[in-house]
Amino acid sequence: MPLLSLLQAQQSFFLYRPKPWFKFPRTPFLCSSRMSSNSNSLQNYPTPLSPPLPAISKDIELARAMTASSKSSLFGLSRSDVLYEDEWLIAVNKPKGIYCDAVLASVPRFLSDSPESDRLCEENQSSALELHLANRLDRDTSGVMVITKSHKVASMLVKAFTNHTVQKTYVAFCIGSAPQSERITIKSGHGRSKFGAWRVYSAGDVGRKLPGGSVVRDMETTFEVLSINGQRSHKEPSECMKDEENCVVVEEKAVTDVDAKKDEILVRAFPRSGRTHQIRLHCQYLGFSIRGDVKYEGVYEWKGTIYDAHELHAESLSFQHPITGFPLMIQAPLPSWASQALQLLTN
């Protein structure tokens, strides 16, 4: 190519080269100002008052999760698991070590194989079931789980849970320092720390922002002590309501005496709110973590026995039926560890 043509081509290239669409900021110090602001906001997050996850929990929890995944993939709901059923609801006794979603996934197959379910739904054969979990339980928590059969019933029942009109009872076997009162109500904050773990926060921090954009929410649980080291006769919940109770409003970190005598404590819990890991967190804060609950300082080995799950059971749910309006109480049979502990009290 002649030199003149080459120069013209280069000139043409530079004349039509597109200009960059972005511009560099003229005031670079604004960037450092924002970083400083973010740094200050990090320092203003509320401080969790319960301990971080123990190092031992990481490997144990991973192993438990893998085992639960295998069991859940094979899980099938049986008639003996069903506690209550009508054309709007089905309540089941979830086994420990099974994920809630696996139970939900097994319901259609169970309903299709059940003559009784066919009878209940014969008027709605043309419409597909719209199954929803009305409540969720932790992987290793057993007990009452309610599944609704339509969007309408699901929204009504979820509203009942949100408004705290559903009464819940749990039973837990704990190891730690025995409380002085037979009845304790604890009020605190609840939220995720900057590391993503659920923690107890001060009751005064409710409403404050947390890392990740969430806020500290209120959390309240009442505990009834059923037995300590196999002694002390338990009362029915209605009788225990009449007793004086000790109210703990969380404002500072719990002080735990690691050298204190470890007692075996059977408790019944009445959670008012429904926060994730609520009972487990409150047991930890009060100094009697649930046996086997390694995530919240529960013992992994006790008296020569290794525990592959925490001992927490959703005992009952009481609520007004979302369609009929009648009061409904659904109760699950106690697991062996709870029934054996209560049996000792009657001997």
Side-chain angles (χ1 to χ4, degrees), residues 155-193:
S155 62
M156 296 173 70
L157 202 49
V158 167
K159 184 177 180 181
F161 276 98
T162 303
N163 294 337
H164 308 308
T165 58
V166 178
Q167 296 179 335
K168 299 165 282 186
T169 69
Y170 288 72
V171 176
F173 198 107
C174 307
I175 305 294
S177 300
Q180 299 300 311
S181 303
E182 289 190 4
R183 189 174 174 84
I184 306 165
T185 292
I186 176 171
K187 302 178 181 180
S188 73
H190 170 271
R192 285 188 185 273
S193 69

Side-chain angles (χ1 to χ4, degrees), residues 1-19:
M1 178 181 293
L3 179 60
L4 180 60
S5 298
L6 180 61
L7 291 175
Q8 287 176 342
Q10 289 178 342
Q11 184 179 14
S12 176
F13 172 79
F14 288 113
L15 284 174
Y16 292 96
R17 184 176 59 183
K19 295 181 180 180

Side-chain angles (χ1 to χ4, degrees), residues 327-345:
L328 183 62
M329 178 178 179
I330 303 172
Q331 191 163 4
L334 294 174
S336 58
W337 55 263
S339 57
Q340 289 170 8
L342 290 174
Q343 184 65 33
L344 291 174
L345 301 178

Side-chain angles (χ1 to χ4, degrees), residues 30-170:
L30 289 177
C31 183
S32 62
S33 174
R34 290 173 183 170
M35 291 176 61
S36 175
S37 175
N38 289 337
S39 176
N40 291 334
S41 64
L42 285 174
Q43 297 174 1
N44 291 330
Y45 287 134
T47 303
L49 301 183
S50 58
L53 303 185
I56 189 177
S57 69
K58 183 177 180 180
D59 292 337
I60 295 175
E61 281 293 300
L62 177 59
R64 289 178 178 178
M66 293 176 66
T67 300
S69 294
S70 298
K71 291 174 61 179
S72 296
S73 65
L74 302 173
F75 178 77
L77 197 64
S78 67
R79 174 51 55 184
S80 61
D81 295 322
V82 177
L83 304 171
Y84 173 86
E85 186 186 359
D86 59 27
E87 59 186 292
W88 304 286
L89 307 168
I90 179 170
V92 302
N93 182 19
K94 185 187 88 69
K96 72 172 185 178
I98 299 293
Y99 288 105
C100 288
D101 292 332
V103 179
L104 179 65
S106 71
V107 172
R109 184 171 61 254
F110 169 80
L111 294 179
S112 65
D113 295 338
S114 172
E116 183 176 352
S117 294
D118 289 343
R119 179 184 59 80
L120 290 171
C121 299
E122 60 184 0
E123 296 180 359
N124 300 315
Q125 289 284 335
S126 59
S127 61
L129 291 174
E130 303 157 341
L131 300 175
H132 300 268
L133 289 172
N135 68 310
R136 301 186 72 94
L137 298 177
D138 296 339
R139 178 194 64 217
D140 292 329
T141 300
S142 58
V144 181
M145 197 174 82
V146 177
I147 298 166
T148 60
K149 296 181 179 180
S150 73
H151 296 317
K152 177 183 177 181
V153 177
S155 62
M156 296 173 70
L157 202 49
V158 167
K159 184 177 180 181
F161 276 98
T162 303
N163 294 337
H164 308 308
T165 58
V166 178
Q167 296 179 335
K168 299 165 282 186
T169 69
Y170 288 72

